[in-house]
Each structure stands twice: as structure tokens, then as C-alpha cells.
Amino acid sequence: MIAEEIATQFDIPGRLVALQPIGTGNVNDTYKVILRTTFSEEQYILQRINRTVFKNPAAVMANMKAVTDHAHCRIQSESENADRIWQLPRVISTVGGRDFIVDREGEYWRALSMIASTTSHEKVSTPEHATEAGIVLGHFQRIISDFPIEELEDTLPGFHITPGYLKSYDEVLPTEKAQKFLKLSSEAARLARFVEERRGIADILESALERGELQLRPTHGDPKITNIMIDNFTGKGTCIVDLDTVKPGLIHYDFGDAVRSSCNPAGEETNDLKEVILDLDLFEALVKGYLKEARGFLTEADRKYLFDSVRLITFELGLRFFADYLAGDIYFKVNYEDQNLNRARVQFALCESIEARESEMRRALESLG
Ligand code: GN1
Ligand code: MG
């Protein structure tokens, strides 16, 4: 069904005046909906959930509802002492009182409240912005840290289990399609060698989990910089969005994901590999903000793996993009040919830069900790 038909089925007053595609998400389709009555204008976010990725959208919505209800209570109870107004999207019910709509084609649609007067940035260029990104992630992890993980479904099995992505890559590699790409593109062949050289790092977090050094907690799953909303008036972070992947996991992948997406000033979609670096000033600034909120719930063992998590998630994301390129772009949406190859090149270049700065990054983590 077309989005216009869906947009009026949620419990919001007014007549539909505009529906605009927004956002740069690689998975779901997102729209801004504007409705008007004689005296007011209402705006909300409408999303079609990608069913190729999320096989059980109803469970995604149940997790989102449970965690946001919990987080909203925490935000309320802490509001008097907070240095800002914290926000978090609310699931808007349908006219019939449900959390989502399933259309005739079986597509799932949901409505979320709009976080007004804030901006989602593709890149970070100032330490202040990086600090805010760290604060927002740490705050979110903190306020959901006491949510019982048994109540969260695993909506995306294998999501952020790096050895699993390596396994999928190994399955794609021998296929005819992948072999053709590898023959035709010397860049693809170079990336395949890059992966081989780093196989050994893939299980560093998972084996720490198995040994009981690390433990599962509620996580965001996708705290990249575009999901961290910055207040247009104060410049402070106010909210983290995109709560599809909230599920039990290692908070390390969250920390790593915020760092890799915030501390590479060239951003994820650049074509210029020379510009791709892990900027140490941005890194220190982000860690400072993150620890302000996270200090209380991080264990000694958690801290020990913070550097590794940055390297690992960057490698993992490069591997996911590369495997998807070799498989023919079946997971991540693309706007041009070879986009997933290019995205992989960027993440692998960033991974190299992280490796080159390992001692400085470890030192910063220690001195700020
Ligand atoms: C996807 O859809 P979006 O853009 O929020 C992906 C993340 C990646 C990200 C990279 C469910 O997120 O894991 O880090 O692209 N989400 C899923 O841009 O796979
Ligand atoms: Mg996402």
C-alpha cells in the first residue's frame, strides 16, 4: 500500500497535507508526515519496517514499546536534576489502538513521535559534537541498564556477533557471483586479502562473553551518529532514535559503533579514502562524554575491551558491506553501483587508521577513565 493511505490511520488529529521521504537509513523507509487542523499542525514519523531484515516486525515493535515505556519513566523520574530535557520517540497507536499497521501486502508500518527542532548529522566536525554523541549513548545505555533482558526478544539473530558475519562471508565467497566480482575488481580482491589478514580478531568480544568476563545487557544496536539527535537551539544531544535493534547484546558494539561513526570526519559515504581517519581529538571528546554517563555501570573488564570494540565493529561493518556487495546488494539499500564496495573500503580504511592509533586510543581511555 502507498504511504499516503497508511498515514491517516494513526491516532493523530488533522488532515494529511504532506508526506516527505526523509533520512538516510540503509534499511527502513522513513517519512515525515504533516497533518493540519484549523488551529494546529501535527508532525510525526512514519516508517515501513524492512521485512527482509526484520523477519518478525511485531517483536521489533514489542521490544521498542517495552524499552521506551521503561526509558520514559526513567527520564521523568530524573528530570528535576537533569541538565537538559531528554527525549525519546514514543510509539503512536493506530486509531484501533494497535502499535503498528499491517497492509494488504503484509508490510508493517509504524508511527513515532517527532523529535522537533533537532538535527541528525551525517558527520562530526567539532569535539563538542563528539562529546554530545558520547553523552547521548551513555545516557541511553544507563537508563535502560536495569531493564530485564529476558523480556527482550532477539529480533535479529546474529546481529553484532562478528564471527557469524565472517561465517556468512565465507559462504558467499565461493559463489559464482562473488568470484566474478573478485576477478573483475582489483579493489574487491584487495579487500578480500584485508579480511584474511584480520580473521583472528573476529571473536575477541564473543570469547570474552563465553569466559564470563563480559555479560549481555540491553543495547541500542545501531547508535551511529545519524541516530543521535542534536538540539538546534542548545547544540546539546537530546535523544537517540532508531530503536529497531534494541535487544540483548554487548554494550561494546554500541560504544564502538558510536566511535567509528562519529570520529571519522569524512563520514561513511565518502569516496576519498585519504580523508578517512580516526580523529583522536574527536575520540577523546566522545569518550569524555560517554564516561560521564557510563562510569557507574562499566566494570573493569568492560573497560578493558573498549578499544577492541572500536576496531572490531569497524571491521565487522566493512565485512558486512563487502559480503553484501559480493552477494549482489541484498541487505543494504544502494543508490549507485558499487556503493557497498565503496562503503566497505571506507570502513576498512578506518580500521587501519584505528590500528595505527591503538596506543594513543588506549592511553586516552585510561587517562579519562
Ligand atoms: C544500518 O538502517 P540504518 O542505516 O540505521 C544497519 C547498521 C549499520 C548501518 C551502517 C539493522 O543501519 O547495523 O551499522 O546501516 N542496521 C541494520 O550505516 O542492519
Ligand atoms: Mg537502524
Side-chain angles (χ1 to χ4, degrees), residues 24-28 53-54 156 159-160 165 220-224 226-227 242 244-245 257 260-261 268-269 313 316-317 320-321 331-333 343 347:
T24 53
N26 296 330
V27 173
N28 294 324
V53 172
F54 298 105
L156 208 48
F159 188 64
H160 294 322
Y165 290 112
H220 180 279
D222 189 10
K224 64 178 187 182
T226 47
N227 288 335
D242 192 0
D244 284 318
T245 45
D257 202 46
R260 65 131 202 104
S261 60
E268 221 167 279
E269 297 286 350
I313 192 95
E316 180 195 282
L317 184 58
R320 293 174 64 201
F321 284 143
Y331 187 100
F332 294 106
K333 292 194 271 181
R343 287 167 171 158
Q347 293 306 310

